[in-house]
Amino acid sequence: MSNDLFRFMRRVSTDDMADFIDRITLTPNSFGVFRQQKTAVVNDFMTTDFDFIYMLSGKTRITTRFGEHIVPQGGSLLIEPYSLCSAQCMPEEIVNYYYAHFDVSPSYLRDVYFRSVTGGGPPVFQPGELPDFRRELDALFQDQTSGAFGFAAVMQSCLRILSVAMMRARYGAAEREQELSPAPSEVDLSILSHAIELIDERLGEPVNVQGLCRELGVSYSFLYKLFVKMFNQPPTKYILQKKLSAAERLIRVQGSTVAEAAEKLGFSSPSHLSRLFKKHLGRAPTHLPRP
């Protein structure tokens, strides 16, 4: 792993920003408008990718791992993958918002991306904190509904612009947060990068963290602490989330059955995959939309 990428893993300065954005790929998965006209509705949810929300009207109360936040009209919210959240429509509010689901790759930079655009703090942006993207999002929605040529490419460009805007808004906070935490060593990042490559190559195999440790030449304790430090979760949970995300894509995008996804990703049975899917993502894989 290069010294430049090592620097980006810990801080994104004004000089680094363009290079950091160039090193990641933002892949749009879905985009649209959500309309909620019921009152005092509470929904618990979890996504397998990033979810950017721009509030068109009304306001909502969102609870994330950072606490409870009010997102008003003109405000924005970025929801991280695999984080249980709760959304409550305020009484007498008619809530409408644009949403954009997208993924960040390489996968080991997802957490770095989230810290960079939120400054290590709450993922809510109040009105005026970001540029007003209402007209651009309206035009994007019209392009999508009309099937305009190049919509996916335009959507990807919009995500890059949104990301830079969020980084600019939280740059000072990110600098302060990152100064408080020690930087990982070059050796740590090299081992982490190799571990992620091996995990991605072997998603179809049963989870074997001990075997992964032997191949990397490190102890289980070392790898456990490294994953918790960089991803806020142990390697077993990281691998499971990768498998569930891959299963979700196989079913929702490629039209695979639950049995086909379970066999391809090394689950012991379709029912095993279904139980884990419902436990960690809040719904059965059979309820996913299919192509």
Side-chain angles (χ1 to χ4, degrees), residues 51-274:
D51 186 7
F52 177 82
I53 290 173
Y54 176 88
M55 194 66 62
L56 293 167
S57 65
K59 60 183 176 182
T60 186
R61 179 184 288 114
I62 299 287
T63 302
T64 70
R65 64 184 178 91
F66 295 93
E68 187 177 277
H69 326 282
I70 301 296
V71 187
Q73 180 175 333
S76 300
L77 170 71
L78 182 67
I79 300 171
E80 60 186 320
Y82 300 105
S83 179
L84 183 63
C85 301
S86 177
Q88 179 180 359
C89 295
M90 306 296 284
E92 306 306 323
E93 292 283 350
I94 297 178
V95 174
N96 298 303
Y97 59 77
Y98 280 121
Y99 64 86
H101 286 265
F102 64 96
D103 201 4
V104 172
S105 57
S107 58
Y108 62 82
L109 288 181
R110 286 175 182 163
D111 189 56
V112 180
Y113 169 83
F114 186 75
R115 291 202 312 268
S116 298
V117 298
T118 62
V124 176
F125 298 85
Q126 298 300 326
E129 196 172 356
L130 297 178
D132 189 353
F133 290 106
R134 174 65 185 268
R135 286 192 301 177
E136 288 78 4
L137 293 172
D138 286 345
L140 196 63
F141 182 68
Q142 292 300 319
D143 281 352
Q144 183 192 44
T145 54
S146 67
F149 176 76
F151 167 78
V154 175
M155 179 77 233
Q156 194 168 36
S157 297
C158 286
L159 289 173
R160 290 167 65 89
I161 294 170
L162 281 170
S163 298
V164 171
M166 288 187 286
M167 287 181 187
R168 284 176 173 172
R170 295 293 173 83
Y171 168 67
E175 287 293 286
R176 291 190 295 272
E177 186 267 342
Q178 289 160 2
E179 286 172 359
L180 297 176
S181 57
S185 69
E186 287 276 14
V187 173
D188 288 350
L189 296 178
S190 178
I191 292 171
L192 181 69
S193 178
H194 191 195
I196 298 304
E197 289 175 0
L198 292 175
I199 290 169
D200 287 343
E201 290 173 1
R202 300 169 187 177
L203 278 182
E205 302 175 7
V207 176
N208 184 358
V209 178
Q210 294 289 359
L212 181 63
C213 291
R214 287 194 296 271
E215 190 160 353
L216 293 169
V218 299
S219 67
Y220 178 85
S221 175
F222 176 89
L223 193 66
Y224 181 95
K225 291 177 181 178
L226 182 60
F227 268 73
V228 170
K229 180 178 181 180
M230 298 305 298
F231 298 131
N232 297 316
Q233 59 185 352
T236 49
K237 186 174 180 180
Y238 177 89
I239 295 171
L240 176 59
Q241 289 181 347
K242 292 279 289 187
K243 283 177 171 286
L244 292 177
S245 180
E248 190 262 349
R249 291 185 187 281
L250 284 172
I251 296 168
R252 182 172 60 84
V253 178
Q254 298 184 24
S256 299
T257 65
V258 176
E260 289 169 342
E263 181 179 4
K264 189 169 185 178
L265 293 169
F267 290 95
S268 59
S269 66
S271 61
H272 181 215
L273 171 58
S274 295

